[in-house]
Amino acid sequence: MVKYDTVLIRFGELSTKGKNRKDFIQRLFLNIKRTLHAYSALTYRKTHDRIYITLNGEDEGGIREKLKTVFGISSFSFTAKIPSDIETISQTCLAIAQESDKHTFKMITKRHDKSFPIKSDEINRTVAGNILRNTDLKVDVHDPELPIRVEVHKNETYITYEKIPGAGGFPTGINGKVLLMLSGGIDSPVAAYEIMKRGIEVEAVHYASPPYTSENARKKVLDLAAIVSAYQGAMKVHVLNFTDIQLAIYKTAGDPYAVTLMRRMMFRLAQRIAEQNKCLAIATGESVGQVASQTLESIACINSVISIPVLRPLICFDKLEIINLAEKIGTYETSILPFEDCCTIFDPKNPVTKPTIKKSEFFEDKFDWENLLDVCVANEECIMVYPQEDTEDFL
Ligand code: ATP
Ligand code: MG
């Protein structure tokens, strides 16, 4: 049996050069090691354009699933690592063909080291000839069932028949840090994923309104944070008690402007937490037109209270696209649990869809919200969450 005991990892968007490229690879290398930290027998090696992991008997299936979550990997393969000589290459490829139940194949050889004396075309021809003579497989160059990939380096050669797509994007953390407003809904966890994919580390802020929101609602948000934290390793969540602010808004402004004012307060708080934690922008799961507070008029009126940039990765996504992504990243089932977060519980009947800054300020002048925000930030609770199955390893 051919042993596929070396994982060969190809990088993603490597248009970056020089020092950026070095940082990219180093960060990816650390992120991969952290993601696979439970597999202690693995050994790692990195070069300027590949990362290699030797399995040393560790569980292939688990590693395969984990690697699919690491941003910055364009694809990876479980390969047979053999010495770079044509006899061994040919024999190994033949063994792969013989062990397979497929009917057609194609040889795809790349000489990484051009000093290897036999050119790629010739390797392809020699190996294919050997397979054709000794098996019933036929060549299909357009749509082969068994593409056999050979990558020849100076001393060793990697052979595989599968190329597993990676998560793409940039290694998380390479592009700075953002504070995401995380609710218990469907959208914001997906926004977290999209931001992480661009190489940005995500820290979260959640506004809770106990006792109007339950312990279950809070747990749901932390569970969601734990699920998406798998894509970056861990996540800091700032939980703010929003009850007094919310009650003051309802007392002062009543129904139509309540959501607008609430969201203006949320953004002000987010800016403060972001600045305290060196986050260069804040982020939300907003999408144009989805609810009253997400019309362009609302977004403009709410955004006007802060100066920090706001990233809205889902701004033009359809709800269905967002749901599909939520299912893919594993947050959907948790997001649809029926526990109220602070917006739904105070949901007014007739929220204004075209709020104005002037009218918002008119209401805000009526109460001492600055003081309420100070108290809210001073009493923040800061919680570190970890990918669920990893919790014990980190404690
Ligand atoms: P989601 O599914 O993410 O909750 P939504 O469609 O319910 O979004 P809104 O409730 O208007 O829309 O929230 C818009 C965005 O505001 C959310 O995506 C999130 O970023 C932020 N947000 C809403 N409620 C909270 C909260 N309680 N704590 C932190 N952020 C919140
Ligand atoms: Mg919501």
Side-chain angles (χ1 to χ4, degrees):
M1 290 288 281
V2 178
K3 265 179 75 184
Y4 302 95
D5 54 2
T6 301
V7 192
L8 181 153
I9 294 173
R10 304 172 191 87
F11 305 150
E13 308 184 17
L14 257 191
S15 46
T16 43
K17 296 243 157 34
K19 182 173 180 308
N20 284 347
R21 186 188 169 100
K22 259 197 168 152
D23 291 347
F24 181 113
I25 297 168
Q26 181 59 16
R27 181 64 71 121
L28 179 60
F29 190 62
L30 293 177
N31 288 355
I32 289 172
K33 279 175 119 171
R34 196 197 52 231
T35 307
L36 299 178
H37 71 97
Y39 303 93
S40 53
L42 298 179
T43 45
Y44 300 83
R45 187 167 71 86
K46 68 175 177 345
T47 66
H48 70 288
D49 66 347
R50 294 278 187 264
I51 289 173
Y52 303 92
I53 306 173
T54 309
L55 294 182
N56 299 316
E58 291 283 11
D59 168 43
E60 183 192 314
I63 291 165
R64 181 183 293 257
E65 289 314 305
K66 291 256 177 189
L67 281 177
K68 286 183 190 166
T69 68
V70 181
F71 293 124
I73 295 180
S74 65
S75 67
F76 61 97
S77 303
F78 286 80
T79 69
K81 183 182 173 192
I82 56 166
S84 288
D85 74 77
I86 187 66
E87 215 15 66
T88 317
I89 293 172
S90 189
Q91 275 170 14
T92 308
C93 292
L94 175 61
I96 290 174
Q98 283 168 334
E99 285 169 16
S100 146
D101 57 359
K102 306 286 192 247
H103 307 289
T104 59
F105 78 103
K106 178 188 180 181
M107 291 304 306
I108 306 164
T109 299
K110 229 184 159 163
R111 262 189 325 160
H112 234 70
D113 180 30
K114 302 289 182 219
S115 71
F116 188 74
I118 311 173
K119 290 206 168 123
S120 302
D121 275 355
E122 207 180 324
I123 300 174
N124 282 340
R125 257 180 283 129
T126 308
V127 176
N130 194 27
I131 292 175
L132 288 170
R133 278 192 301 279
N134 291 290
T135 71
D136 292 333
L137 274 85
K138 302 270 179 295
V139 172
D140 181 345
V141 288
H142 300 297
D143 189 20
E145 289 175 35
L146 185 71
I148 302 179
R149 295 173 193 279
V150 178
E151 193 172 300
V152 186
H153 293 247
K154 195 173 173 60
N155 298 314
E156 69 284 329
T157 290
Y158 301 89
I159 306 186
T160 184
Y161 60 88
E162 59 169 12
K163 194 169 181 182
I164 306 154
F170 292 94
T172 303
I174 200 157
N175 287 330
K177 195 165 69 168
V178 149
L179 182 73
L180 171 79
M181 292 166 56
L182 182 66
S183 71
I186 296 169
D187 305 329
S188 42
V190 174
Y193 174 85
E194 291 295 319
I195 292 165
M196 289 172 186
K197 185 168 183 179
R198 300 327 295 162
I200 299 168
E201 184 184 341
V202 171
E203 216 165 288
V205 59
H206 175 67
Y207 306 104
S209 298
Y212 302 97
T213 56
S214 63
E215 185 54 34
N216 278 337
R218 176 193 152 93
K219 182 171 178 304
K220 173 180 168 183
V221 171
L222 294 176
D223 285 349
L224 286 169
I227 296 169
V228 287
S229 76
Y231 297 93
Q232 67 175 20
M235 193 194 283
K236 197 190 260 183
V237 184
H238 305 267
V239 180
L240 300 191
N241 186 326
F242 200 58
T243 313
D244 289 345
I245 298 170
Q246 220 165 2
L247 291 174
I249 289 170
Y250 271 85
K251 220 168 81 195
T252 321
D255 199 276
Y257 260 76
V259 171
T260 306
L261 297 188
M262 243 167 54
R263 297 192 61 77
R264 282 164 64 97
M265 296 304 165
M266 284 181 176
F267 273 57
R268 287 181 173 115
L269 288 166
Q271 171 154 312
R272 291 199 195 182
I273 301 287
E275 282 167 0
Q276 283 175 9
N277 291 277
K278 300 197 169 62
C279 298
L280 293 179
I282 62 180
T284 74
E286 289 165 300
S287 158
V288 169
Q290 210 183 75
V291 288
S293 62
Q294 294 175 29
T295 61
L296 277 185
E297 288 85 353
S298 281
I299 289 175
C301 176
I302 291 160
N303 212 141
S304 69
V305 298
I306 54 167
S307 53
I308 191 170
V310 182
L311 308 187
R312 296 180 174 87
L314 309 184
I315 198 71
C316 294
F317 283 34
D318 292 340
K319 194 74 192 185
L320 256 181
E321 293 176 272
I322 299 173
I323 288 174
N324 286 341
L325 275 167
E327 283 173 339
K328 183 181 131 189
I329 65 172
T331 51
Y332 185 70
E333 291 300 317
T334 307
S335 285
I336 59 172
L337 292 172
F339 309 120
E340 310 279 358
D341 73 9
C342 75
C343 289
T344 40
I345 201 136
F346 284 102
D347 218 7
K349 304 294 161 283
N350 302 302
V352 56
T353 52
K354 294 186 177 174
T356 64
I357 295 177
K358 216 167 148 199
K359 198 134 185 218
S360 304
E361 287 174 347
F362 166 78
F363 288 122
E364 284 170 359
D365 281 345
K366 294 184 177 196
F367 71 108
D368 186 7
W369 53 268
E370 301 251 11
N371 183 41
L372 289 173
L373 297 194
D374 288 344
V375 173
C376 179
V377 170
N379 292 319
E380 76 150 313
E381 189 187 352
C382 195
I383 301 163
M384 246 355 233
V385 299
Y386 300 96
Q388 277 156 344
E389 75 269 33
D390 287 347
T391 312
E392 279 174 19
D393 295 317
F394 279 96
L395 292 177

